[in-house]
Amino acid sequence: MAEIDTSSGGGKGDGKVRAKKQSARVDMTPMVDLGFLLITFFVFTTTFSKPNMMKLNMPEKEKDQNKPPETAEIKESNTITIIMGKDNRIFYHQKSSKNLTPELLNETDYSKDGIRTAILKAKVNAIDQTKFTVVIKPTDDATYKNTVDILDEMAITKSDLYAIVDPSKEELDIYKQKIAAPKQ
């Protein structure tokens, strides 16, 4: 039990009889209990910050598992491929990865006059705009912020058909050649 002793020693030697002072004893146990109760209350009632998540809409699973999945042939004229690189650099092309050269890999930025304009231009020039597809290929150098930015562009440009896939070996080779070359 914790207590504070405030008793005085009492004088001796002068011969007078004095009234003995009562010691004022303060018991600190209830105060400590109250402190722990308050700490416990605030710990249990505090809401911790919730992680921010971006919702990614995925297609629903087929109910009939025996049915083969539908495959749609996507033509090059209906697609644009976006390669995200390091230092907020972004590249795009509309060719097959086998026919790709460093000259065909166009560089832009994440601004509205950059990748957004390229996506909208490719969408307008597509043969079938209902099947226009954006293929997003982040490299190991791309950041999470870049991925969020490009997904925002998908919402802004109303590009409903898009896929996030790994870049092919040919595209990575062309990308490395492009980033090694000085910016123009």
Side-chain angles (χ1 to χ4, degrees):
M1 183 184 317
E3 62 183 61
I4 298 174
D5 186 19
T6 58
S7 64
S8 60
K12 288 189 180 172
D14 58 354
K16 294 183 183 174
V17 177
R18 295 186 183 173
K20 191 174 183 182
K21 292 185 178 179
Q22 292 284 337
S23 71
R25 182 175 160 251
V26 177
D27 188 12
M28 297 296 286
T29 306
M31 186 69 75
V32 172
D33 288 344
L34 180 65
F36 279 111
L37 283 173
L38 285 172
I39 290 171
T40 305
F41 172 76
F42 287 117
V43 166
F44 286 136
T45 58
T46 302
T47 14
F48 297 104
S49 63
K50 296 177 181 159
N52 295 330
M53 287 193 218
M54 176 181 252
K55 185 175 181 184
L56 185 60
N57 294 328
M58 300 300 284
E60 292 184 23
K61 288 186 177 181
E62 288 289 327
K63 292 182 181 176
D64 186 9
Q65 297 293 336
N66 297 330
K67 182 181 172 186
E70 279 186 40
T71 56
E73 188 174 325
I74 301 172
K75 298 181 180 176
E76 286 180 12
S77 60
N78 281 342
T79 65
I80 184 170
T81 302
I82 298 172
I83 300 173
M84 298 184 306
K86 68 178 180 179
D87 299 328
N88 294 327
R89 292 176 75 180
I90 187 166
F91 305 90
Y92 67 94
H93 66 86
Q94 285 190 277
K95 296 288 180 188
S96 160
S97 60
K98 292 171 182 47
N99 301 333
L100 191 61
T101 63
E103 295 79 33
L104 295 174
L105 191 61
N106 303 308
E107 183 172 2
T108 188
D109 56 17
Y110 287 94
S111 69
K112 70 175 185 174
D113 296 326
I115 193 64
R116 186 179 307 165
T117 304
I119 293 169
L120 291 173
K121 198 179 291 184
K123 194 173 190 177
V124 167
N125 294 334
I127 293 172
D128 186 0
Q129 292 182 359
T130 60
K131 293 184 179 178
F132 179 73
T133 306
V134 179
V135 182
I136 303 167
K137 298 185 176 187
T139 63
D140 291 338
D141 301 329
T143 63
Y144 179 75
K145 180 187 179 306
N146 296 147
T147 306
V148 171
D149 289 343
I150 202 66
L151 290 176
D152 287 343
E153 292 298 326
M154 295 300 103
I156 292 168
T157 59
K158 295 183 174 69
S159 299
D160 296 328
L161 296 175
Y162 60 88
I164 301 175
V165 296
D166 291 329
S168 67
K169 183 183 180 322
E170 294 88 6
E171 286 173 324
L172 280 176
D173 292 340
I174 299 295
Y175 161 73
K176 287 176 184 174
Q177 288 176 22
K178 193 76 169 183
I179 62 170
K183 274 188 175 180
Q184 297 172 357

